[in-house]
Amino acid sequence: MMDNTVKTPLRQGIALANLSVSPAFLAAFGVLLITIIALFTAPYVGVADNGDFFRSIYSNGLYFNLPDYDSQYFGYFVKQYGIFQYFNENGAMLFSSQSLFIKLAIGLNKLFFSSEVFDIRFQAAIYTILYVIAIYLLIEAITWRMSRKKGFIIAGIAIFIFGDTGYTAYFSSFYGESVVMITMIFMFASWLMLYRKRFNDYAMLALFVISTLILTTSKQQNAPVGMIIAVLACSLLWIRRDKIFRILTMASLALMLFAGVFTYLNISNEFVNINQFHAMTRGVLKESPDPEAALKALGMDEQFAILKNSIHYEKYVTIDVNSPLLEENFYSRYGFVSILKYYLTNPDQLNSILNVAAQSAFSIKPAAMGNFEHSVGKEFRAQSHFFTGYSQLKQTLAPRTFGFIFLWMVLVIGLYMPSFVKAIKSRDFRGVQRMVLIVASIGIGLSGIFVSIIGAGDADISKHEFLFTLSFDLVTFLTLSSVIGRRVSKNSNRVKQVSKNTPSSLYTKPQKDVSV
C-alpha cells in the first residue's frame, strides 16, 4: 500500500516532466548543450583572424595584446585581447550593429573578469543565449499544434543542423556572421509566428523589425536585405484590421527600407576600392577568355589586363593599388551597375562566375581559418570536427552548380504554391505569409551571391556567401518540417486524445493549410 502511495506521485511527476518538455525546448536545450561543450570547455573552439578583426575591435576599445599575433593569422584562434586604458584615437572604420554586442561583452567582461584583458568568451556567451532563444522561437513556430512525435523528430533535425559548430564557432570571433545568423533566425521565426498567429502580433512585429534592422546594418553587403524585406513584407499590412497595427507596420517598413539605403550609402571609400578592384581582377578579367576585349567593352584601357587574378592585399603587385594612375583611369571607369550590365550582355561569363559562386555556396565555415588556440598544439589551420556532421554532409553532397540552386528554388516554391494560391483566392492574407517569407529568404540568399560576385569577384567568396548558405538551411528546414508534419505518420490526419494534464494550447489539432 505504501509502495503504491510513493509510486503514484513519482509517476505523476514523470508524466508532468514529460509534458513540459516541448519540441522547442528540446531543440533549444540540445543546441545550448552542444555549444557549451564546443565553446566553453577545453579545447576551446573559435575562428582564426583572417586580417579583418582590426576593423571591428579598435573602434570598440580593444587591441591585439599578443606580441606574436601576426603569426596567428589564419592558423590559430585567439581568446584574449587587450582593453584600451586611455584615450582611444581609433574611429569607426565602418558602421555596423555588431558594435552593440562587442560593447556589451566588454562591459560584462569588466564587471566580472578584468578591466585590462578581454576574454572573447563573454561575447560568445551573449551570442549563445540569443541564439538559443532564436532556435526556441523557430521550432515553436514550426511545431505548434503538431503532434509530439513529429515535433520531436523536427527538434532532432534542428539540433543536427543548427547545433553544428560550423555555425556556432563564429561566436568566438569578431566576424559579423554571428550577428547575421542570430538576427536572420529571429527574423525568420517572428515572421512565421505572425503567419501562425502564435503569441502577440504586436510583440512579434517588434521582434521582426528589430532583428531585420540589426541584420541589415550588421554588414555592409547586407544593405539589400532591408530593401528586400521592406518590399515583400508589405503583405503584413492586411493580416489585421487594426488601424494602429497597420500604421506601425507601415512605419516599420519605411524604417527597414531606410536602414538598407543608409547601410549602402555608408560604405567607406576604402572598402569600395578594395571590392571594386577584386570585382574586376577576380571577376570580370578572371572569367574572361579575352581580358583585353572585356576592358574594351567597358571603355577602359586594355593595358590593365595585366591585373588579371591580382589581389588587393598582395605585397608585390604590378601596379600600386592606391596609385593616382588607378584612381584616374581604373576605379573611376566602372562600378556595380556597369559590371552587372557587362555580365548580362555576356551570359557565358555570368554562368561561369555563378558556378564559381555555387562551389562555395554551401560552405558553412571557411576552410582557410583554423579553429584552435596555438597552445593546444594542433597544426596550423587545424579544423575542429566536433559535432560538424551536417556541415561536412552538406559540403560533400551538395551539387556545386548554380543549376542545382535554381532547381531547389523551383522545387520549394512549387511545393508551397497550392496553399499560397488557395490563400490568395480566399483573401487569407495571414495564410499568404509563409510563401512571402520563403520568397524573401531566397531573395536574401541570392543577394548574398550576386553582391559577392558582382561586388568583389571570387575574393574570400566562401565567407561572403554565408547569407546564402544560412537562407538555404532555413528554407530547406522549413520545407522538410512541413513534409514531416503531414507525411511521417500514416495516421497524420487523426488527432490523438490528449491527457487532461496537457495544456489546451499545446499539441492540438493541426491548422488547415499549414503543411505542404
Side-chain angles (χ1 to χ4, degrees), residues 421-437:
V421 172
K422 186 176 180 180
I424 290 290
K425 288 180 178 180
S426 61
R427 298 182 64 80
D428 177 12
F429 293 107
R430 196 179 288 271
V432 165
Q433 296 310 310
R434 181 175 58 179
M435 175 64 92
V436 178
L437 169 60

Side-chain angles (χ1 to χ4, degrees), residues 304-409:
F304 291 120
I306 61 174
L307 293 174
K308 180 177 180 177
N309 295 328
S310 297
I311 298 176
H312 191 277
Y313 302 107
E314 287 178 329
K315 188 173 183 180
Y316 302 105
V317 291
T318 309
I319 306 174
D320 182 3
V321 293
N322 296 313
S323 67
L325 175 65
L326 289 188
E327 289 287 348
E328 295 174 11
N329 302 295
F330 189 71
Y331 296 123
S332 62
R333 298 298 179 90
Y334 68 98
F336 188 91
V337 175
S338 58
I339 291 179
L340 176 60
K341 183 179 177 181
Y342 174 82
Y343 279 127
L344 292 176
T345 54
N346 292 271
D348 289 341
Q349 276 188 248
L350 176 60
N351 182 63
S352 177
I353 193 71
L354 285 175
N355 283 327
V356 169
Q359 292 177 10
S360 303
F362 301 98
S363 299
I364 294 178
K365 63 177 181 179
M369 278 85 89
N371 296 136
F372 296 102
E373 294 179 275
H374 185 269
S375 59
V376 175
K378 299 280 187 179
E379 63 180 8
F380 195 77
R381 290 183 177 175
Q383 298 270 309
S384 170
H385 298 293
F386 171 71
F387 208 84
T388 57
Y390 175 70
S391 55
Q392 292 181 12
L393 186 69
K394 185 179 178 183
Q395 179 76 10
T396 303
L397 298 182
R400 308 290 182 86
T401 64
F402 192 77
F404 170 74
I405 296 175
F406 178 77
L407 290 175
W408 166 76
M409 292 188 294

Side-chain angles (χ1 to χ4, degrees), residues 50-317:
N50 69 347
D52 287 348
F53 283 11
F54 77 95
R55 299 172 183 170
S56 301
I57 72 169
Y58 281 132
S59 59
N60 286 297
L62 302 177
Y63 65 93
F64 306 115
N65 60 350
L66 287 181
D68 62 341
Y69 189 88
D70 289 350
S71 65
Q72 313 279 339
Y73 283 123
F74 290 98
Y76 298 106
F77 147 64
V78 176
K79 190 168 79 251
Q80 294 186 337
Y81 298 81
I83 300 176
F84 280 116
Q85 300 298 302
Y86 305 103
F87 175 72
N88 182 11
E89 62 182 7
N90 299 284
M93 297 188 67
L94 51 86
F95 174 81
S96 173
S97 55
Q98 182 187 1
S99 295
L100 299 173
F101 301 95
I102 296 176
K103 289 185 181 297
L104 176 59
I106 293 173
L108 292 175
N109 186 96
K110 289 180 177 179
L111 184 62
F112 295 107
F113 179 58
S114 170
S115 60
E116 298 180 355
V117 177
F118 174 72
D119 193 312
I120 203 168
R121 285 175 293 180
F122 281 94
Q123 176 188 268
I126 294 171
Y127 285 147
T128 299
I129 292 171
L130 292 173
Y131 188 58
V132 168
I133 295 172
I135 294 297
Y136 179 89
L137 291 175
L138 175 64
I139 307 307
E140 178 67 16
I142 291 175
T143 61
W144 186 53
R145 291 188 173 180
M146 186 181 288
S147 70
R148 292 175 64 83
K149 178 182 177 181
K150 297 173 186 177
F152 285 132
I153 292 173
I154 291 169
I157 297 172
I159 294 172
F160 179 64
I161 295 175
F162 301 108
D164 195 292
T165 54
Y167 275 132
T168 56
Y170 278 112
F171 296 168
S172 290
S173 77
F174 291 108
Y175 295 115
E177 278 70 15
S178 300
V179 180
V180 170
M181 177 168 56
I182 293 167
T183 52
M184 180 73 179
I185 295 177
F186 267 123
M187 182 278 294
F188 197 91
S190 57
W191 205 338
L192 267 182
M193 290 288 189
L194 289 168
Y195 158 69
R196 299 298 303 272
K197 203 175 182 180
R198 176 70 167 138
F199 299 135
N200 182 275
D201 282 344
Y202 288 92
M204 291 301 101
L205 178 64
L207 179 61
F208 173 69
V209 175
I210 292 171
S211 57
T212 301
L213 292 176
I214 297 176
L215 171 63
T216 304
T217 56
S218 61
K219 298 185 72 173
Q220 294 175 328
Q221 75 177 76
N222 290 356
V225 172
M227 304 177 197
I228 292 171
I229 294 178
V231 172
L232 292 177
C234 287
S235 57
L236 289 172
L237 288 167
W238 293 280
I239 66 171
R240 292 179 67 105
R241 296 181 180 180
D242 315 22
K243 187 176 181 180
I244 296 177
F245 185 84
R246 291 185 176 182
I247 292 173
L248 289 174
T249 303
M250 288 182 66
S252 301
L253 296 175
L255 191 59
M256 290 186 286
L257 183 63
F258 172 77
V261 175
F262 175 80
T263 303
Y264 176 77
L265 295 177
N266 275 271
I267 299 176
S268 66
N269 289 332
E270 178 189 355
F271 297 117
V272 168
N273 283 356
I274 294 172
N275 292 334
Q276 195 174 355
F277 183 83
H278 289 148
M280 181 60 67
T281 63
R282 303 292 305 179
V284 173
L285 298 182
K286 183 177 185 295
E287 297 302 320
S288 175
D290 188 352
E292 289 82 3
L295 289 166
K296 186 176 181 180
L298 289 164
M300 299 172 63
D301 195 324
E302 297 174 31
Q303 68 174 335
F304 291 120
I306 61 174
L307 293 174
K308 180 177 180 177
N309 295 328
S310 297
I311 298 176
H312 191 277
Y313 302 107
E314 287 178 329
K315 188 173 183 180
Y316 302 105
V317 291

